[in-house]
Amino acid sequence: MINRRAASTVDDEARENRLLAAMLGVASTQLIGLAAQLNIADLLSDEPKSIETLAEATDTREPALLQVMRALAALGIFAEPQPSCFAISPLGEMLRASAPNSLRGYAIMLASGMMMRGWANLLHALRASEGALDDALGMETYAYFQQNAADAAIFNAAMSSVSGQEGAALQVAYNFAKFHMLVDVGGGRGLVLAGLLQAHPALHGTLYDLPKVVEGAFPLLGEHVASGRCRIEGGDFCSQVPSGADAYLLKRVLVVLDDKRSSQVLRNCRRAMSLNGRLLVAEPDPSTLYGRLYDVFMLMAHGTRLRSEADMRELFTNTGFELVRTLETPSTLRLFEGVPV
């Protein structure tokens, strides 16, 4: 005979544990960020190491680090093959600074004190038409970066961390070789464009972002600028974009903009591109778990949201484009391709 009361108690305890673990999501963020900051994945890249060795290498207290490492092992970031001895896992590999798909910089940013201030203020974004982060910082985020170089450096490293793997994923999903000139709108310091130019010798490109942002693009794009294949231009894409290209790429740009400013940017692209041009918009997929959480991250940081395919189709239609296809990529991104009408 089944003891229904006992089974119910077990179910209740399992639900309680799941909910309590979810409530401690901030601990997961901080633990992963701490592992990235201490370079633990790099320390474990060649072989498992004892907690004594890790504590000495990271200048931390051994008992406290053991607590942290066991929690990270429970999260699947590391493994504990022997008591107090730790090894790297496939997830942990992505925290290595030298890994091709490294997310180390992104992990450090998400765990930063700046971001924690925004999350603690999330209710503000539900009640006001602005992000909780700007309100918590007392100014617009990019103005804050101008005054806080350390946090700006963390942010730039995070964007580079994500862009490297996303740029490679876009090349797998889409044939950029058919274009002669591509404008990377809001392309930051040029990591994605540099990868495209490297992969496609006949392609020419223009990096376009705020003047203060593109100042840091020369280490990546200087060689292509010198060869005449690339231009670096500073400006405000809500006002205008460089004209005459046959492709305009916007990766993770529209997601930080509300519908009004997104429409302005797309209309600027429509006016600037050739009649046979292509609009390429890459955004995280909101239907995944990461997408749902990233959607709320955008609410916190900017007061904006991820758009569904139907939302994107409407945005394209209202700005002079037809959405012709949506492509999955081997990353968190989906690529929306539009043509002028």
Side-chain angles (χ1 to χ4, degrees), residues 15-33:
R15 285 194 294 269
E16 181 180 357
N17 278 322
R18 287 199 301 270
L19 180 57
L20 288 170
M23 290 179 183
L24 284 170
V26 64
S28 299
T29 303
Q30 291 298 315
L31 285 165
I32 296 169

Side-chain angles (χ1 to χ4, degrees), residues 217-239:
F218 285 93
L220 284 171
L221 294 174
E223 175 186 348
H224 300 299
V225 172
S227 69
R229 292 182 58 209
C230 181
R231 292 185 300 169
I232 299 174
E233 295 188 24
D236 180 2
F237 49 61
C238 286
S239 299

Side-chain angles (χ1 to χ4, degrees), residues 82-96:
Q82 299 176 11
S84 301
C85 181
F86 294 91
I88 200 164
S89 75
L91 285 180
E93 284 282 350
M94 290 187 285
L95 293 180
R96 290 195 302 111

Side-chain angles (χ1 to χ4, degrees), residues 126-141:
L126 275 68
R127 292 177 170 167
S129 58
E130 65 177 351
L133 184 57
D134 288 357
D135 180 69
L137 297 176
M139 65 184 76
E140 197 270 338
T141 306

Side-chain angles (χ1 to χ4, degrees), residues 56 59 62 79 86 93 150 172 183-184 256-257 270 277 279 284 338:
E56 182 178 359
D59 191 25
E62 185 180 317
F86 294 91
E93 284 282 350
V172 171
V183 177
D184 190 354
V256 305
L257 304 176
R270 176 65 182 84
L279 175 70

